[in-house]
Amino acid sequence: MIYENQKKFNVRSFLFLILFLFSTTLISLKILKKVNVQDIRISGSELFSKNDVAKNSSLIFPIRLIFIKTNLLEKELKENLSLKNISVSRQIFPFGLRIHIQTRIPLAYAERILNNEKILGFIDKDGIFINKKNAEEQNLNKLNIQVFGWEEKYKKILSEILISQDNFEFELVKITFSSNGFLTVEEKDLKTIYLGFNPNLINYQLQIINNLKNEFKKKSFIEKLDNIDLTNPKKPKIKVFKP
């Protein structure tokens, strides 16, 4: 009886070993197999195609699965396609690359100049510029703000301004950075507001804009406004139309 049990155990162990070796060999062969563009699977967005992935990365297809650096690919695609987030994983079964994409949600129309060329796009709540071709159409409804003169260095201040729309009662319609970085905004009722060069003042300036909007609404003073100078927020200058 003991001999029979030992024999069965040995057979099971042998079969398990064969199965293990077969699986290991199969996995090894799959890892070394070359990935083609058609082996890419994208989820999370229908905006981007497999060819978009190929065109916006340094990968040269076909490429062996084991040689694909997922972290580098994520970084390249996130930057080149203006993505909020992305995850890339190598898969054996089913074989290929699995890419999950999270797009950015535009909050404003935008325009930037790159190599003397005007590029149209959008800005999200992080102040990130989104190329027009990389924005999903269903997210473009009810955009009432325009941004001009976007540059990478203005991301933080733009983010603070756009997020402020949820916390304050004023309604911005235009944000403009001049070629030398001077910031001007336009509010629906307060008209032109000069904010200047100092990004560290923005939260204080936004609070003043909100206070002025509330105060002028009470006094029916808004229709007389020409512009407001808040470059020195401690000494606001208000210009009105002359009768």
Side-chain angles (χ1 to χ4, degrees):
M1 184 70 178
I2 296 176
Y3 174 77
E4 289 295 326
N5 289 337
Q6 182 66 39
K7 185 177 180 180
K8 290 180 181 179
F9 176 78
N10 290 338
V11 171
R12 285 197 297 267
S13 299
F14 177 75
L15 291 174
F16 175 79
L17 179 60
I18 294 298
L19 181 61
F20 175 76
L21 292 174
F22 175 78
S23 300
T24 304
T25 302
L26 182 61
I27 290 173
S28 299
L29 290 174
K30 284 283 190 178
I31 288 176
L32 293 174
K33 185 179 176 182
K34 290 185 177 181
V35 177
N36 287 288
V37 174
Q38 59 264 31
D39 297 316
I40 298 173
R41 286 178 296 282
I42 300 173
S43 61
S45 172
E46 297 181 357
L47 179 63
F48 302 104
S49 68
K50 299 175 181 181
N51 287 328
D52 289 324
V53 171
K55 291 177 182 177
N56 288 278
S57 74
S58 58
L59 293 181
I60 300 177
F61 292 92
I63 180 174
R64 296 192 189 281
L65 184 63
I66 195 173
F67 292 150
I68 295 176
K69 298 177 181 179
T70 56
N71 289 339
L72 175 61
L73 182 55
E74 288 172 351
K75 182 178 179 181
E76 289 177 335
L77 294 177
K78 185 175 182 180
E79 180 177 343
N80 295 336
L81 298 178
S82 309
L83 301 176
K84 177 71 174 178
N85 211 346
I86 181 172
S87 64
V88 178
S89 58
R90 294 175 293 188
Q91 289 190 329
I92 303 297
F93 304 105
F95 176 79
L97 278 181
R98 182 180 182 278
I99 300 177
H100 183 75
I101 287 174
Q102 182 183 359
T103 57
R104 294 185 178 275
I105 300 176
L107 292 185
Y109 294 102
E111 176 184 301
R112 66 179 296 196
I113 304 297
L114 184 63
N115 299 325
N116 295 320
E117 180 183 355
K118 183 186 295 184
I119 299 175
L120 301 179
F122 307 92
I123 299 293
D124 78 338
K125 71 173 184 178
D126 297 319
I128 301 295
F129 187 88
I130 309 166
N131 283 336
K132 189 175 182 180
K133 63 182 180 180
N134 295 335
E136 295 184 299
E137 291 187 9
Q138 64 264 32
N139 293 324
L140 304 183
N141 297 327
K142 301 180 180 179
L143 298 185
N144 299 315
I145 304 176
Q146 294 178 300
V147 177
F148 296 93
W150 182 94
E151 291 186 30
E152 189 82 16
K153 59 186 176 183
Y154 301 140
K155 289 189 303 184
K156 185 175 184 297
I157 190 170
L158 268 173
S159 178
E160 293 181 63
I161 294 172
L162 292 172
I163 291 174
S164 73
Q165 299 296 280
D166 295 328
N167 303 320
F168 294 125
E169 296 183 17
F170 59 79
E171 186 177 344
L172 295 181
V173 294
K174 186 186 295 185
I175 303 169
T176 304
F177 294 93
S178 68
S179 57
N180 63 356
F182 189 93
L183 175 59
T184 303
V185 299
E186 184 176 322
E187 203 273 338
K188 183 178 179 182
D189 297 310
L190 299 179
K191 314 273 188 320
T192 301
I193 305 170
Y194 303 114
L195 299 180
F197 295 103
N198 191 346
N200 296 322
L201 296 176
I202 190 62
N203 288 318
Y204 186 26
Q205 292 169 320
L206 292 172
Q207 182 65 61
I208 293 176
I209 293 173
N210 192 61
N211 294 341
L212 289 174
K213 178 70 178 276
N214 291 332
E215 191 65 27
F216 289 166
K217 282 175 64 177
K218 294 176 185 177
K219 296 181 179 180
S220 300
F221 186 70
I222 285 179
E223 63 272 11
K224 301 178 183 179
L225 285 174
D226 182 8
N227 64 67
I228 300 172
D229 187 342
L230 293 180
T231 52
N232 181 355
K234 293 183 179 180
K235 296 180 180 180
K237 297 178 183 179
I238 299 172
K239 183 178 180 180
V240 298
F241 290 108
K242 294 180 179 180

